[in-house]
Amino acid sequence: MTDDVFGTAGIRERVLAGWAAAPVRFREDANAEEELALGGYVDRLVIELAQNAADAAARAGVPGRVLFEFKNNTLVVANTGAPLDAEGVESLATLRASAKREEPSVGRFGVGFSAVLAVTDEPVVLSRTGGVRFSKADTAAAIAGLAADLDTEVRRRDGQVPVLRLPFEADGEPPADYDTAVILPLRDEAAAALVRRLLAEADDALLLALPGLHRIEIETDDDHRVLQDAESRWHIHRTGGVFDTAEREQLLADRPTEERSRPSWSVTWALPRVPQPPQLQGAPGMPAVVPAVAYAPTPTDEPVSLGALLLATFPLDSTRRHVAKGPLTERLVREAAGSFADLLRQRAGHGDDVLRLVPTGLAAGVLDRMLREEILSRLPATPMVRAVEGTTLLRPRDAVVVEGADDAFNEKLAPIVPGLIRSRREDRLALDALQVRRLELVEVVDQLGGEEPAEWWRGLYSSLTSMVTDALIRESLGTLPVPLADGRLVRGARGLLLPGPEIPVDILAAFGEYGVRVVHPDAVDPALERLGAIPATPRSLLEDSAVRTAVEHCAESDDPDAIAHAVLSLVAADPAQAGGLWWLNDLVLRDADGELVPANALVVEGSDAQAILDPDEVAPIAGDVLERYGLPALEAVGVLATLGVVAASDVALDQLPEAVQDLDAIEDWAYDVAPEGSRYGATVGELEAIRDLDWITDANWPKALHIMGSEPDLRRALVTQVRVVGPDDRPLGVPSYAAWWIREHVILDDGEPLAGRADPEAEPVLATFLDEAPAWTAALDPEVRTAVGLVRDVGDLDADGISLVLDRLVDPERDVDAASILRLWTRLGTLALFPGDAPEQTRVLDADGVTRVIDADQAVVVDGPMWVQREDLGGFVIGSGAAADGLSDLLDVPMAQEIAEGKIDGEGTAADVPPIVRELVPEVPATWWEHEELTVDGVEVSWWVDADGAPHAATFDGLAKALAWSAGRWDRRHVIRAVLNEPDRSTELLVDAVYD
């Protein structure tokens, strides 16, 4: 039995007497303790015991150390500092009456020890001065029988009694080197799980909240770690003070009495010195992230999203979880905001990135919103952003950023843009919150200019290397000044020429007089090319509008030979680079007589071009010019050694490009080939046309066509059809310009066109109706002959050719046999092109195999063999299927069934088709109708197939045809007739059918 050094018996006696006298007091104490244990302090065990240890160390004036040892389902918390005394025991046993009233401490409410009830019913406190314990069981035993009303209340509470109101003396000593120990036998596994979680969550924030603690040691069965030296891992900024009398009256009037007696305040901000990378988050002594709640000074449930830990003496509400509203909180928020601004200024001075700490986005709660608003009212006036030039910290409201500028460009701008700071994309929201002024890049560019040397501009362009990869930034740099080689400063790099080693300086100088804008060599940088400047290759220089102007007006120039030299020097470097620059044809050069002549009217002496072109239209090029620049360069600018080709892409037929407008009759070609005769909306993807066709002399067409057929470029431009796409996006193949022009304009000695004549290899029957082509055309290859309009078969005929054939077909003087007319009808019936007017007469085939010419209204198109029996309908034009329909449209002659009903008179007698017939031709129907006399529309016939497909016949020969036609096997009519006429040949015919 130990001595009762803390007077626990007296405390128990007083408490029990009060409960006995007024059981409602017991009820009040039980409810209050239960509320704390199950509510506000349910998960604050580690924090509250560490807080008590910090207060004990502060009272003793020694560095605080605390040990959390969790083993064998018991938590032992040992600490250094002032030992337990009688006043402390009484405080432990008295709710909301702290023994620390007159001394500075972290604990302020006298309720923190109740946190132990979340895990135990039997807490023990041992100190060097003695020990005390609390017990749910012993408290219940002390109450039993004390008073009837008290017993009733305990039963109503299911035996739940206040644990911490009745202290009992306890034996034992704290661990060596410690002054006090709290021993907590855990209630159950849930309590053990809670302890393990709370110990695992302990980190630097605990040391920062309790500066009186220098070391926290945590030891469990699975782990051992030590928390200390927290300030070596955090930047700390502390401020505090004591409210004067007037401030106390204003700020503390609504606070409880004991709080009003403590007029001191403090604010601490803690910022990790080195933000932890993801792989190290949660390492010993370092939190995974900055705690996301405010500490007052221990954790509350008030969210704070400022990226730093806030510890302040905020007043708390009755739950001890939330900051209380009122003037004291508002004052501390202002102090915290000022302290936060000072922290950012200090860290910025040491080179830290503080923009990430500027509040942006939405607030996490009421306190967070108040802090954000107050902080953002102070930061714009806080020196915290570093100027690009120098080491000075600027106030954000005095700073400026240039939109889109990177570090390299900022370095160049710093001397001319006061207050310029760097701006990363991720800092945009922060800078806006700080009220940093923004300059649009285009504004800065518009202000650039002056007398800077070309080298300075090159440095500026070099600083844009990364920026010009962004299309929007390139647009903003559209008016960037650029120095030119002639000393001018122009705005905008687009279209300027960047000089390079390929082009001699004297060539550039020659074009400079005509406005060619060349960048100063000392200012050239690759960034200019990204901004639209063009490397001065021969091609880019030739494409320059100023060069084109010089060429087009060179005939009026003071020195046309100098322009010719400059252009031909560029072209000679690589003749292919002049491709598509059709206006180079306007370059004037010297002919053999020394006269100035446009290049497209010059030919090479002794060339094919000179041989076939009209000498009144062309002249030979001067020999020295040819020798100096070479034939490829001269051909590239339009001088002809052979016929030339003009090419254009994406041609709109209603707006022909300049490149082809000089072609003879090109507008007429466009009208002729346009869909339905309308050029509007019709386009050609690729157009190649042979030029100067109108300069070929009549006598030289045989040679010209031979040249066109033998040279690949010319051949392609002649024989390849042009693909025209109409407004409805449907493509149509049409004759090339050269083919069309030759068909329309080449006239032979007999005064008739070359086109439309019979090809040397034309079908004989067709050739008889066409004029003969000249003998020299036989030397041309078939594709060339077709392209120029010679007719090999009916499909080659154009509308005029068809009209000619039809007109000659009805010439009574022409002798046309049956075989020829039948072949011709078959070809004509497949035509998709019709002449404007059908002929008034047509040639027909009589039943006796003789052809004759009759009026078209006396003819009929017969598209089936049974209608050939109907001589009463008129003269026959014979065709089958689609060819018959085509002939009807071409000749404007009706189909037989359009003028006759084709109705069988009478019904006939049904008969079975012989099995042998069906064996040979399975498609025939099983039944046919026999007639003594078969008439259709009153006209006697030998066979017919009615509208239902039923065969009718009056003879064996007619039956064979009727069965074959109804079966769709007209080709088998002879076999059917053979078996019907000679049944004894059945086996022979069956054997033959095996080999069909």
Side-chain angles (χ1 to χ4, degrees):
M1 188 75 179
T2 61
D3 294 333
D4 187 6
V5 294
F6 299 129
T8 59
I11 296 173
R12 292 198 302 275
E13 183 178 344
R14 292 191 296 276
V15 172
L16 289 171
W19 288 351
V24 70
R25 294 280 302 277
F26 168 83
R27 183 179 178 188
E28 289 176 354
D29 288 347
N31 285 342
E33 186 177 282
E34 188 174 33
E35 178 184 354
L36 292 170
L38 299 180
Y41 286 78
V42 67
D43 58 357
R44 298 177 66 90
L45 172 67
V46 171
I47 293 170
E48 294 297 335
L49 293 181
Q51 179 177 290
N52 287 343
D55 290 340
R59 289 197 302 274
V62 298
R65 293 185 295 110
V66 63
L67 167 68
F68 289 87
E69 183 182 75
F70 178 42
K71 295 181 179 180
N72 300 323
N73 213 41
T74 298
L75 176 63
V76 176
V77 183
N79 65 270
T80 59
L84 188 64
D85 57 18
E87 186 178 7
V89 171
E90 187 169 6
S91 175
L92 293 177
T94 307
L95 289 175
R96 303 183 189 277
S98 174
K100 310 164 189 174
R101 179 175 183 179
E102 301 300 333
E103 56 193 56
S105 63
V106 179
R108 293 175 281 164
F109 309 108
V111 295
F113 191 68
S114 62
V116 301
L117 298 179
V119 299
T120 186
D121 294 326
E122 307 288 335
V124 178
V125 181
L126 300 178
S127 190
R128 289 184 288 100
T129 55
V132 64
R133 65 182 181 84
F134 299 89
S135 170
K136 176 181 177 181
D138 288 349
T139 297
I143 295 172
L146 189 62
D149 290 345
L150 202 54
D151 290 341
T152 300
E153 184 62 31
V154 172
R155 286 195 300 274
R156 287 175 178 172
R157 303 185 70 84
D158 293 329
Q160 294 295 325
V161 297
V163 175
L164 299 181
R165 293 291 280 121
L166 300 183
F168 298 90
E169 61 273 17
D171 294 329
E173 293 285 339
D177 299 326
Y178 290 95
D179 298 309
T180 303
V182 177
I183 302 170
L184 304 177
L186 301 190
R187 181 185 302 114
D188 51 26
E189 181 53 36
L194 177 60
V195 168
R196 281 191 289 269
R197 177 174 67 83
L198 296 177
L199 290 177
E201 292 174 355
D203 55 32
D204 275 356
L206 192 58
L207 287 175
L208 295 172
L210 304 171
L213 289 182
H214 288 212
R215 174 186 171 93
I216 299 175
E217 185 175 358
I218 300 173
E219 186 171 348
T220 67
D221 291 331
D222 303 322
D223 189 25
H224 178 268
R225 59 194 179 103
V226 175
L227 303 178
Q228 60 184 359
D229 299 325
E231 295 195 11
S232 66
R233 295 183 292 276
W234 296 76
H235 297 298
I236 309 297
H237 188 276
R238 292 189 175 93
T239 186
V242 177
F243 298 128
D244 60 25
T245 302
E247 290 173 327
R248 292 184 196 181
E249 293 178 358
Q250 178 188 0
L251 302 177
L252 303 178
D254 61 345
R255 302 309 301 159
T257 300
E258 292 192 11
E259 284 191 54
R260 292 200 300 272
S261 66
R262 298 180 178 183
S264 61
W265 62 272
S266 66
V267 171
T268 299
W269 286 99
L271 185 67
R273 290 181 180 270
V274 180
Q276 290 285 68
Q279 63 270 25
L280 296 180
Q281 288 183 357
M286 198 66 187
V289 293
V290 174
V293 296
Y295 280 53
T298 50
T300 68
D301 287 347
E302 292 287 353
V304 174
S305 59
L306 295 172
L309 172 60
L310 171 62
L311 307 101
T313 53
F314 286 116
L316 301 179
D317 63 11
S318 59
T319 67
R320 311 305 175 206
R321 293 277 184 162
H322 292 281
V323 173
K325 298 179 180 179
L328 178 56
T329 294
E330 294 172 2
R331 169 63 180 274
L332 290 174
V333 165
R334 292 194 293 273
E335 297 292 348
S339 178
F340 189 78
D342 289 342
L343 173 63
L344 266 57
R345 175 180 53 78
Q346 292 176 3
R347 297 321 315 156
H350 285 84
D352 291 357
D353 174 20
V354 297
L355 292 180
R356 63 185 178 87
L357 299 171
V358 175
T360 59
L362 299 176
V366 175
L367 179 64
D368 195 44
R369 177 182 56 78
M370 295 171 65
L371 287 166
R372 285 165 168 260
E373 291 176 354
E374 193 65 34
I375 287 170
L376 289 176
S377 72
R378 295 170 182 262
L379 290 184
T382 301
M384 56 176 288
V385 291
R386 193 174 302 279
V388 173
E389 191 172 44
T391 59
T392 306
L393 287 181
L394 302 176
R395 296 179 300 183
R397 68 186 182 194
D398 298 331
V400 62
V401 297
V402 175
E403 288 281 15
D406 62 10
D407 287 348
F409 191 50
N410 280 329
E411 292 287 349
K412 295 295 293 184
L413 292 179
I416 57 178
V417 180
L420 181 64
I421 64 173
R422 292 178 173 84
S423 172
R424 300 173 303 183
R425 184 169 298 180
E426 61 266 29
D427 295 333
R428 185 179 184 87
L429 292 177
L431 293 174
D432 288 345
L434 293 174
Q435 303 172 27
V436 173
R437 185 165 60 100
R438 292 187 175 276
L439 282 179
E440 293 295 332
L441 183 59
V442 66
E443 297 179 49
V444 177
V445 169
D446 287 342
Q447 296 173 16
L448 293 175
E451 302 298 326
E452 289 82 0
E455 293 81 359
W456 184 89
W457 288 106
R458 181 171 58 195
L460 179 72
Y461 306 145
S462 179
S463 71
L464 296 171
T465 299
S466 298
M467 295 171 57
V468 294
T469 60
D470 186 302
L472 292 178
I473 291 179
R474 290 199 298 273
E475 184 176 344
S476 298
L477 294 169
T479 59
L480 185 68
V482 182
L484 301 184
D486 59 12
R488 290 180 294 160
L489 185 70
V490 298
R491 288 197 170 272
R494 184 166 299 281
L496 300 183
L497 296 178
L498 298 170
E502 298 178 70
I503 303 175
V505 176
D506 62 322
I507 299 299
L508 291 175
F511 288 122
E513 299 179 15
Y514 297 93
V516 174
R517 302 190 302 166
V518 179
V519 178
H520 194 292
D522 293 337
V524 172
D525 185 85
L528 289 176
E529 187 173 351
R530 295 301 299 268
L531 292 173
I534 304 168
T537 62
R539 174 72 182 194
S540 65
L541 191 55
L542 290 171
E543 288 179 328
D544 190 276
S545 60
V547 173
R548 177 173 177 178
T549 300
V551 169
E552 291 176 340
H553 297 87
C554 60
E556 300 92 38
S557 169
D558 293 337
D559 191 356
D561 292 320
I563 297 176
H565 170 66
V567 170
L568 289 175
S569 295
L570 290 174
V571 175
D574 183 3
Q577 296 202 52
L581 304 181
W582 59 270
W583 44 265
L584 290 175
N585 294 351
D586 293 333
L587 183 69
V588 293
L589 303 173
R590 299 287 175 179
D591 67 5
D593 296 329
E595 299 295 326
L596 291 173
V597 178
N600 62 0
L602 291 169
V603 295
V604 176
E605 186 76 44
S607 66
D608 287 341
Q610 186 180 33
I612 64 176
L613 297 180
D614 189 342
D616 292 335
E617 301 290 348
V618 297
I621 185 77
D624 61 330
V625 176
L626 177 61
E627 183 178 353
R628 182 174 185 181
Y629 301 107
L631 179 59
L634 293 174
E635 284 186 311
V637 299
V639 177
L640 296 175
T642 183
L643 292 173
V645 175
V646 176
S649 300
D650 300 323
V651 175
L653 292 185
D654 58 336
Q655 293 181 336
L656 294 172
E658 291 181 273
V660 300
Q661 287 182 3
D662 287 340
L663 294 173
D664 183 61
I666 185 64
E667 296 277 351
D668 295 336
W669 172 81
Y671 274 113
D672 283 358
V673 301
E676 300 180 1
S678 174
R679 298 195 298 166
Y680 297 101
T683 60
V684 172
E686 297 293 336
L687 174 61
E688 290 184 321
I690 300 175
R691 51 172 273 207
D692 305 325
L693 296 175
D694 53 324
W695 288 356
I696 300 175
T697 59
D698 292 342
N700 286 317
W701 272 108
K703 181 176 179 62
L705 290 177
H706 173 74
I707 294 171
M708 292 181 198
S710 58
E711 296 188 15
D713 291 344
L714 296 173
R715 178 186 177 83
R716 183 173 61 251
L718 173 64
V719 305
T720 303
Q721 283 198 324
V722 175
R723 187 173 183 267
V724 176
V725 179
D728 57 359
D729 291 334
R730 289 193 301 177
L732 175 68
V734 301
S736 68
Y737 163 79
W740 171 88
W741 195 96
I742 292 170
R743 294 181 187 186
E744 293 289 326
H745 296 90
V746 175
I747 305 298
L748 299 184
D749 293 340
D750 61 3
E752 296 296 326
L754 172 64
R757 296 174 183 261
D759 186 271
E761 298 177 358
E763 289 182 296
V765 63
L766 181 60
T768 62
F769 296 99
L770 298 174
D771 294 336
E772 185 179 4
W776 55 262
T777 60
L780 302 176
D781 73 64
E783 282 190 298
V784 172
R785 297 199 302 262
T786 299
V788 300
L790 299 187
V791 179
R792 183 180 298 107
D793 57 39
V794 171
D796 293 333
L797 291 169
D798 58 14
D800 292 339
I802 296 172
S803 294
L804 177 64
V805 170
L806 294 181
D807 288 343
R808 292 181 175 179
L809 184 62
V810 298
D811 181 0
E813 300 300 322
R814 287 182 178 267
D815 184 17
V816 182
D817 61 32
S820 296
I821 193 66
L822 289 173
R823 283 201 305 275
L824 188 58
W825 275 337
T826 300
R827 305 288 194 279
L828 291 173
T830 60
L831 291 175
L833 184 67
F834 299 146
D837 297 315
E840 295 181 357
Q841 292 183 311
T842 189
R843 187 174 291 271
V844 297
L845 180 64
D846 288 339
D848 58 4
V850 176
T851 67
R852 60 189 174 92
V853 178
I854 63 173
D855 291 339
D857 58 4
Q858 297 177 9
V860 64
V861 175
V862 174
D863 69 341
M866 63 186 182
W867 290 100
V868 177
Q869 305 171 87
R870 296 289 304 273
E871 295 181 18
D872 61 300
L873 299 180
F876 292 154
V877 176
I878 306 296
S880 176
D885 291 331
L887 287 169
S888 177
D889 294 335
L890 176 66
L891 303 175
D892 196 19
V893 171
M895 303 286 286
Q897 57 266 39
E898 293 175 354
I899 61 174
E901 187 176 1
K903 184 177 180 181
I904 297 174
D905 303 320
E907 295 183 358
T909 303
D912 293 333
V913 174
I916 184 59
V917 174
R918 300 195 65 195
E919 182 72 24
L920 287 168
V921 186
E923 295 88 350
V924 300
T927 305
W928 67 284
W929 275 259
E930 183 178 5
H931 295 259
E932 288 292 331
E933 182 181 3
L934 176 60
T935 60
V936 176
D937 300 331
V939 177
E940 185 176 0
V941 296
S942 64
W943 68 278
W944 204 261
V945 175
D946 64 22
D948 297 325
H952 299 255
T955 67
F956 275 128
D957 184 60
L959 176 58
K961 293 180 179 181
L963 291 176
W965 189 250
S966 66
R969 292 302 306 272
W970 185 247
D971 59 315
R972 304 289 284 171
R973 65 191 182 280
H974 302 299
V975 174
I976 297 174
R977 182 173 56 188
V979 76
L980 290 176
N981 288 331
E982 301 177 76
D984 56 344
R985 294 183 60 197
S986 298
T987 301
E988 175 191 349
L989 294 173
L990 286 173
V991 171
D992 290 346
V994 172
Y995 301 101
D996 285 346

